[in-house]
Amino acid sequence: MVSKAVAALVFACLVCSQYAVQGVNIVSKAEWGGRAPNYRVALGNYLNYAIIHHTAGNYCETRAACAQQLRNVQSYHMDSLGWPDIGYNFLIGGDGAVYEGRGWNSMGAHAAEWNSVSIGISFLGNFNWDTLEPNMIASAQGLLNDAVNRGQLSSGYVLYGHRQVSATECPGTHIWNEIRGWSHWKARRSSRPLHKSQNQFTVMANKALIVLAVLLCAQAVFGVTIITKSQWGGRSATSKSTLASSLSYAVIHHTAGNYCSTRSACETQLRNIQSYHMDSLGWADIGYNFLIGGDGNVYEGRGWNVMGAHATNWNSKSIGISFLGNYNSDKITSAQITAAKGLLSDAVSRGQIISGYTLYGHRQVGSTECPGTNIWNEIRTWSNWKA
């Protein structure tokens, strides 16, 4: 039997050799400005599975932009979810580069119950609408070949999309359509096998990661950066009512007030709206769950799992998302559209709304012109909108 000292030496050598040339160049964590992990759990060799994800966040096509997204994802995973590191083993940017996440031989936190038997590879972006480019495909396939060459994956490994092992839309439609044409992809999954080599510490650590990883892919990052209430100078709610998970509806609004195109101006609008809702209407907080500014930022209102006051008779069964401005005259920008779609994708990823949720404009559930003609014309083209 191999001694613990020898086993530790072998593991250290494997980790230190992870940048040996195989088929792709990997941008190290140090190169993209990542933080060191709080701790690591060893991941075995000759694994039988590789799982493909998307981060569901912003797309990037330059080294600088991808590095920023990676730092955002890592900060969310470590600071908000309490994980020891970014969740994925590797990530691939729109620039075609492969970026180190947890790297080789370190267990990820990317797919509940599957972290100890797979490597997790995630594409940076939301591939329900972002396009998967040929250079990204080549990098992913090269990385998988490297994993086999290094002995991290068995030569007969099975490739799954995250949606095959968890209740999620991840890795997005475009990636999903692509990977089903790859030779190792399988249509049906088997039950998760137990590693005979797992020791008690590994089992306990994996269970802890499972508890933390119940949310999706990122379910995992989740794709958009949300400016918190404290960051925009909002007041605390006077009371809160819990909003259930797995809701069937999302309702889109506009505030009908002034448009804002800078963060400073949007924060002023948010404080004004909150004051009106609380001081004039007597509500416990600003009425919406989230708001989107003309600057393209998503701002926290009541937030996740808190019932809003945005649509009479619908508050308990929907989340309310409002655009700052009056969109009978103001124009909705592409940045706002991207932010709104990313937020809705996050809501699905978190389990706040179901994957088959129905999207309504406020005018469909109340006697109002809200959300304004320009938003109304836009959302009626979105896949979850219903007449």
Side-chain angles (χ1 to χ4, degrees):
M1 183 175 178
V2 180
S3 70
K4 291 182 179 179
V6 173
L9 179 60
V10 170
F11 173 64
C13 290
L14 286 168
V15 171
C16 290
S17 67
Q18 64 181 302
Y19 301 112
V21 174
Q22 297 286 337
V24 294
N25 292 321
I26 297 173
V27 180
S28 71
K29 189 180 293 180
E31 290 176 308
W32 59 258
R35 295 148 59 179
N38 292 329
Y39 62 87
R40 292 184 181 186
V41 177
L43 182 65
N45 288 314
Y46 301 104
L47 302 172
N48 290 322
Y49 304 97
I51 299 178
I52 301 296
H53 305 257
H54 71 169
T55 59
N58 292 333
Y59 182 82
C60 59
E61 54 188 3
T62 66
R63 174 70 63 88
C66 289
Q68 182 61 58
Q69 287 304 308
L70 287 157
R71 292 191 292 269
N72 292 344
V73 174
Q74 187 185 42
S75 292
Y76 181 79
H77 287 185
M78 296 180 73
D79 300 334
S80 296
L81 298 183
W83 295 351
D85 197 356
I86 193 169
Y88 311 105
N89 294 93
F90 298 96
L91 302 94
I92 298 171
D95 58 348
V98 176
Y99 295 88
E100 179 195 20
R102 297 202 181 188
W104 303 114
N105 297 103
S106 290
M107 189 187 301
H110 57 90
E113 299 186 41
W114 291 77
N115 295 313
S116 65
V117 295
S118 67
I119 60 168
I121 300 170
S122 188
F123 290 84
L124 287 160
N126 190 318
F127 291 86
N128 284 317
W129 47 81
D130 292 326
T131 300
L132 189 62
E133 300 295 340
N135 61 342
M136 303 171 75
I137 295 169
S139 292
Q141 293 179 336
L143 181 64
L144 288 164
N145 288 336
D146 282 2
V148 172
N149 292 337
R150 293 172 182 274
Q152 180 82 89
L153 287 177
S154 68
S155 60
Y157 73 91
V158 173
L159 181 74
Y160 287 144
H162 190 193
R163 63 178 65 181
Q164 292 177 274
V165 299
S166 185
T168 172
E169 289 187 351
C170 178
T173 303
H174 292 154
I175 292 176
W176 175 241
N177 290 339
E178 169 63 30
I179 65 173
R180 286 185 294 167
W182 295 6
S183 59
H184 286 266
W185 180 83
K186 302 295 182 186
R188 294 174 61 87
R189 70 174 179 87
S190 59
S191 298
R192 185 185 72 86
L194 178 66
H195 254 329
K196 292 181 180 179
S197 62
Q198 283 182 315
N199 58 31
Q200 186 177 8
F201 172 76
T202 301
V203 172
M204 290 176 64
N206 194 41
K207 285 182 177 178
L209 291 173
I210 290 168
V211 171
L212 289 170
V214 268
L215 305 172
L216 176 152
C217 211
Q219 305 148 74
V221 58
F222 294 96
V224 294
T225 300
I226 296 173
I227 297 172
T228 66
K229 189 183 295 181
S230 62
Q231 288 175 315
W232 59 258
R235 295 149 58 179
S236 298
T238 57
S239 65
K240 292 182 179 181
S241 296
T242 301
L243 183 65
S245 297
S246 301
L247 302 172
S248 296
Y249 303 98
V251 180
I252 300 295
H253 305 256
H254 72 170
T255 59
N258 292 332
Y259 181 84
C260 58
S261 57
T262 67
R263 179 166 170 174
S264 176
C266 289
E267 290 177 347
T268 297
Q269 287 303 309
L270 288 158
R271 291 190 293 269
N272 290 343
I273 293 166
Q274 187 184 42
S275 293
Y276 176 73
H277 286 184
M278 296 179 74
D279 301 335
S280 298
L281 300 182
W283 294 352
D285 197 355
I286 193 168
Y288 312 105
N289 294 92
F290 297 96
L291 302 95
I292 299 171
D295 57 348
N297 284 321
V298 177
Y299 295 88
E300 180 190 24
R302 298 202 179 191
W304 303 114
N305 299 110
V306 179
M307 190 185 303
H310 57 91
T312 304
N313 298 325
W314 289 79
N315 295 313
S316 64
K317 55 188 178 183
S318 67
I319 60 167
I321 300 170
S322 189
F323 290 82
L324 288 160
N326 189 322
Y327 292 84
N328 285 316
S329 52
D330 297 324
K331 304 294 184 184
I332 187 170
T333 67
S334 59
Q336 290 178 289
I337 294 168
T338 298
K341 287 181 174 179
L343 182 63
L344 288 164
S345 180
D346 282 2
V348 172
S349 300
R350 295 173 181 273
Q352 181 79 85
I353 54 178
I354 62 174
S355 59
Y357 73 92
T358 296
L359 182 72
Y360 286 143
H362 189 192
R363 61 175 69 186
Q364 293 175 274
V365 299
S367 299
T368 174
E369 289 187 351
C370 177
T373 303
N374 292 330
I375 292 176
W376 174 241
N377 290 338
E378 169 62 31
I379 65 172
R380 286 186 295 167
T381 68
W382 296 4
S383 58
N384 287 79
W385 180 82
K386 304 293 183 186

